[in-house]
Amino acid sequence: MNEGAVYLWTVPMFHCNGWCFTWTLAALCGTNICLRKVTAKGIYSAIAKYSVTHFCAAPVVLNSIVNAPPKDTILPLPHVVHVMAAAAAPPPSILVAMFQNGFRVTHTYGLSEIYGPSVVCAWKPESWY
């Protein structure tokens, strides 16, 4: 994340992927955006309204983003949004759809609630669709 990142909370702050981001955002003069309820409509709205640059999400949240009805989306996105998904890998169809919609998903694994991910699945240039 770069200085001034705008991070959308879709997971609890002190759960997987959360712990490290609270401190990172403070160090980078970033902005925290919190949702009362995690929905695809709420995520798309926050991206448009607050210029969200990053968020973490479980694969089920990525699925809801991809399969949201058109009335709940804002496509094309106004800018690229970086997403980290942890634990179970999102299905390839979800990864492709997220990429096509302007999201850049990185899959990680590890005890990320205390020290960050121990494994990051790096994209190969030939794998971008």
Side-chain angles (χ1 to χ4, degrees):
M1 291 189 336
N2 297 325
E3 185 176 344
V6 179
Y7 185 87
L8 177 66
W9 288 94
T10 65
V11 297
M13 286 184 182
F14 299 103
H15 185 54
C16 259
N17 291 334
W19 179 253
C20 298
F21 284 101
T22 53
W23 305 113
T24 301
L25 285 161
L28 294 175
C29 300
T31 301
N32 291 284
I33 306 297
C34 299
L35 297 174
R36 289 191 181 274
K37 184 176 181 182
V38 177
T39 64
K41 183 177 183 175
I43 291 168
Y44 279 109
S45 295
I47 290 167
K49 184 174 182 179
Y50 301 109
S51 299
V52 167
T53 59
H54 296 80
F55 68 88
C56 294
V60 68
V61 174
L62 303 184
N63 186 49
S64 71
I65 291 168
V66 166
N67 292 301
K71 67 179 180 58
D72 291 346
T73 68
I74 299 167
L75 293 172
L77 291 179
H79 56 273
V80 171
V81 177
H82 300 275
V83 181
M84 185 186 316
S93 60
I94 297 297
L95 292 174
V96 170
M98 291 289 289
F99 180 82
Q100 291 171 339
N101 288 343
F103 297 93
R104 298 299 174 263
V105 180
T106 299
H107 178 244
T108 66
Y109 191 81
L111 197 57
S112 53
E113 61 267 26
I114 56 174
Y115 56 79
S118 57
V119 178
V120 175
C121 298
W123 285 96
K124 298 177 183 178
E126 65 273 13
S127 64
W128 289 108
Y129 294 90

Short mmCIF file of all heavy atoms in Angstrom, two decimals, residues 23-47:
data_model
loop_
_atom_site.label_atom_id
_atom_site.label_comp_id
_atom_site.label_asym_id
_atom_site.label_seq_id
_atom_site.Cartn_x
_atom_site.Cartn_y
_atom_site.Cartn_z
N TRP A 23 -2.39 -0.81 11.77
CA TRP A 23 -1.11 -0.12 12.03
C TRP A 23 -0.51 0.41 10.74
O TRP A 23 0.06 1.50 10.72
CB TRP A 23 -0.14 -1.07 12.72
CG TRP A 23 -0.73 -1.65 13.96
CD1 TRP A 23 -1.07 -2.96 14.18
CD2 TRP A 23 -1.10 -0.95 15.15
NE1 TRP A 23 -1.63 -3.12 15.43
CE2 TRP A 23 -1.66 -1.89 16.04
CE3 TRP A 23 -1.04 0.39 15.55
CZ2 TRP A 23 -2.12 -1.54 17.30
CZ3 TRP A 23 -1.51 0.73 16.81
CH2 TRP A 23 -2.03 -0.23 17.66
N THR A 24 -0.62 -0.33 9.68
CA THR A 24 -0.08 0.11 8.40
C THR A 24 -0.74 1.39 7.93
O THR A 24 -0.08 2.33 7.48
CB THR A 24 -0.25 -1.00 7.34
OG1 THR A 24 0.42 -2.17 7.78
CG2 THR A 24 0.30 -0.57 6.00
N LEU A 25 -2.05 1.46 8.03
CA LEU A 25 -2.77 2.66 7.60
C LEU A 25 -2.36 3.88 8.41
O LEU A 25 -2.22 4.98 7.88
CB LEU A 25 -4.27 2.44 7.66
CG LEU A 25 -4.79 1.56 6.53
CD1 LEU A 25 -6.16 1.01 6.87
CD2 LEU A 25 -4.83 2.33 5.23
N ALA A 26 -2.17 3.71 9.71
CA ALA A 26 -1.72 4.83 10.54
C ALA A 26 -0.34 5.30 10.09
O ALA A 26 -0.09 6.50 9.97
CB ALA A 26 -1.71 4.43 12.01
N ALA A 27 0.55 4.36 9.79
CA ALA A 27 1.90 4.72 9.38
C ALA A 27 1.93 5.40 8.01
O ALA A 27 2.80 6.22 7.73
CB ALA A 27 2.78 3.47 9.35
N LEU A 28 0.97 5.06 7.15
CA LEU A 28 0.95 5.60 5.79
C LEU A 28 0.00 6.79 5.64
O LEU A 28 -0.27 7.22 4.52
CB LEU A 28 0.51 4.51 4.80
CG LEU A 28 1.46 3.34 4.64
CD1 LEU A 28 0.86 2.28 3.74
CD2 LEU A 28 2.79 3.82 4.08
N CYS A 29 -0.50 7.32 6.74
CA CYS A 29 -1.48 8.42 6.68
C CYS A 29 -2.67 8.02 5.82
O CYS A 29 -3.17 8.80 5.00
CB CYS A 29 -0.84 9.70 6.15
SG CYS A 29 0.51 10.29 7.16
N GLY A 30 -3.09 6.79 6.00
CA GLY A 30 -4.21 6.26 5.21
C GLY A 30 -5.55 6.58 5.85
O GLY A 30 -5.64 7.12 6.95
N THR A 31 -6.59 6.22 5.13
CA THR A 31 -7.96 6.44 5.57
C THR A 31 -8.65 5.10 5.73
O THR A 31 -8.54 4.23 4.88
CB THR A 31 -8.73 7.29 4.54
OG1 THR A 31 -8.05 8.54 4.38
CG2 THR A 31 -10.16 7.54 4.97
N ASN A 32 -9.37 4.95 6.84
CA ASN A 32 -10.17 3.75 7.10
C ASN A 32 -11.62 4.04 6.76
O ASN A 32 -12.18 5.04 7.21
CB ASN A 32 -10.11 3.38 8.59
CG ASN A 32 -8.77 2.89 9.00
OD1 ASN A 32 -8.39 1.76 8.72
ND2 ASN A 32 -8.01 3.74 9.69
N ILE A 33 -12.24 3.16 5.98
CA ILE A 33 -13.66 3.25 5.66
C ILE A 33 -14.31 2.00 6.24
O ILE A 33 -13.89 0.88 5.93
CB ILE A 33 -13.91 3.31 4.13
CG1 ILE A 33 -13.12 4.45 3.49
CG2 ILE A 33 -15.40 3.41 3.85
CD1 ILE A 33 -13.48 5.83 3.96
N CYS A 34 -15.31 2.17 7.07
CA CYS A 34 -15.99 1.04 7.70
C CYS A 34 -17.42 0.93 7.18
O CYS A 34 -18.08 1.95 6.96
CB CYS A 34 -16.02 1.22 9.21
SG CYS A 34 -14.38 1.29 9.96
N LEU A 35 -17.87 -0.28 7.00
CA LEU A 35 -19.24 -0.56 6.58
C LEU A 35 -20.02 -1.11 7.76
O LEU A 35 -19.49 -1.92 8.53
CB LEU A 35 -19.27 -1.60 5.46
CG LEU A 35 -18.59 -1.23 4.15
CD1 LEU A 35 -18.58 -2.44 3.20
CD2 LEU A 35 -19.30 -0.06 3.50
N ARG A 36 -21.26 -0.70 7.90
CA ARG A 36 -22.11 -1.29 8.96
C ARG A 36 -22.50 -2.71 8.58
O ARG A 36 -22.67 -3.57 9.42
CB ARG A 36 -23.36 -0.45 9.16
CG ARG A 36 -23.07 0.86 9.82
CD ARG A 36 -24.35 1.54 10.26
NE ARG A 36 -24.07 2.81 10.87
CZ ARG A 36 -23.77 2.97 12.15
NH1 ARG A 36 -23.71 1.93 12.94
NH2 ARG A 36 -23.53 4.16 12.63
N LYS A 37 -22.66 -2.94 7.28
CA LYS A 37 -23.03 -4.25 6.77
C LYS A 37 -22.27 -4.46 5.46
O LYS A 37 -22.27 -3.59 4.59
CB LYS A 37 -24.54 -4.32 6.53
CG LYS A 37 -25.03 -5.66 6.09
CD LYS A 37 -26.55 -5.67 5.96
CE LYS A 37 -27.03 -7.04 5.53
NZ LYS A 37 -28.47 -7.07 5.36
N VAL A 38 -21.63 -5.62 5.32
CA VAL A 38 -20.85 -5.90 4.12
C VAL A 38 -21.77 -6.43 3.04
O VAL A 38 -22.29 -7.54 3.13
CB VAL A 38 -19.71 -6.90 4.42
CG1 VAL A 38 -18.94 -7.23 3.15
CG2 VAL A 38 -18.78 -6.32 5.47
N THR A 39 -22.00 -5.62 2.02
CA THR A 39 -22.79 -6.00 0.85
C THR A 39 -22.06 -5.53 -0.40
O THR A 39 -21.24 -4.60 -0.34
CB THR A 39 -24.19 -5.34 0.87
OG1 THR A 39 -24.02 -3.92 0.78
CG2 THR A 39 -24.96 -5.70 2.13
N ALA A 40 -22.37 -6.14 -1.51
CA ALA A 40 -21.75 -5.70 -2.78
C ALA A 40 -22.09 -4.24 -3.06
O ALA A 40 -21.23 -3.46 -3.45
CB ALA A 40 -22.22 -6.60 -3.92
N LYS A 41 -23.34 -3.86 -2.83
CA LYS A 41 -23.75 -2.48 -3.06
C LYS A 41 -22.95 -1.52 -2.18
O LYS A 41 -22.49 -0.48 -2.64
CB LYS A 41 -25.25 -2.33 -2.79
CG LYS A 41 -25.77 -0.93 -3.07
CD LYS A 41 -27.26 -0.84 -2.87
CE LYS A 41 -27.77 0.54 -3.24
NZ LYS A 41 -29.23 0.62 -3.15
N GLY A 42 -22.76 -1.88 -0.92
CA GLY A 42 -21.99 -1.05 -0.01
C GLY A 42 -20.54 -0.92 -0.44
O GLY A 42 -19.94 0.16 -0.34
N ILE A 43 -19.97 -2.02 -0.93
CA ILE A 43 -18.58 -2.00 -1.39
C ILE A 43 -18.44 -1.11 -2.62
O ILE A 43 -17.58 -0.23 -2.68
CB ILE A 43 -18.09 -3.44 -1.67
CG1 ILE A 43 -17.97 -4.21 -0.35
CG2 ILE A 43 -16.76 -3.43 -2.42
CD1 ILE A 43 -17.78 -5.69 -0.49
N TYR A 44 -19.30 -1.31 -3.62
CA TYR A 44 -19.24 -0.47 -4.82
C TYR A 44 -19.47 1.00 -4.49
O TYR A 44 -18.79 1.88 -5.02
CB TYR A 44 -20.25 -0.94 -5.86
CG TYR A 44 -19.81 -2.12 -6.68
CD1 TYR A 44 -20.38 -3.38 -6.51
CD2 TYR A 44 -18.82 -1.99 -7.65
CE1 TYR A 44 -19.99 -4.47 -7.27
CE2 TYR A 44 -18.42 -3.08 -8.42
CZ TYR A 44 -19.00 -4.31 -8.22
OH TYR A 44 -18.60 -5.38 -8.99
N SER A 45 -20.41 1.28 -3.60
CA SER A 45 -20.70 2.66 -3.23
C SER A 45 -19.50 3.31 -2.55
O SER A 45 -19.18 4.47 -2.83
CB SER A 45 -21.91 2.72 -2.30
OG SER A 45 -23.07 2.30 -2.98
N ALA A 46 -18.84 2.58 -1.66
CA ALA A 46 -17.67 3.12 -0.96
C ALA A 46 -16.52 3.37 -1.92
O ALA A 46 -15.80 4.37 -1.80
CB ALA A 46 -17.24 2.17 0.15
N ILE A 47 -16.36 2.49 -2.90
CA ILE A 47 -15.30 2.70 -3.90
C ILE A 47 -15.54 4.01 -4.65
O ILE A 47 -14.62 4.81 -4.84
CB ILE A 47 -15.23 1.51 -4.88
CG1 ILE A 47 -14.69 0.27 -4.15
CG2 ILE A 47 -14.37 1.84 -6.10
CD1 ILE A 47 -14.87 -1.03 -4.92
#
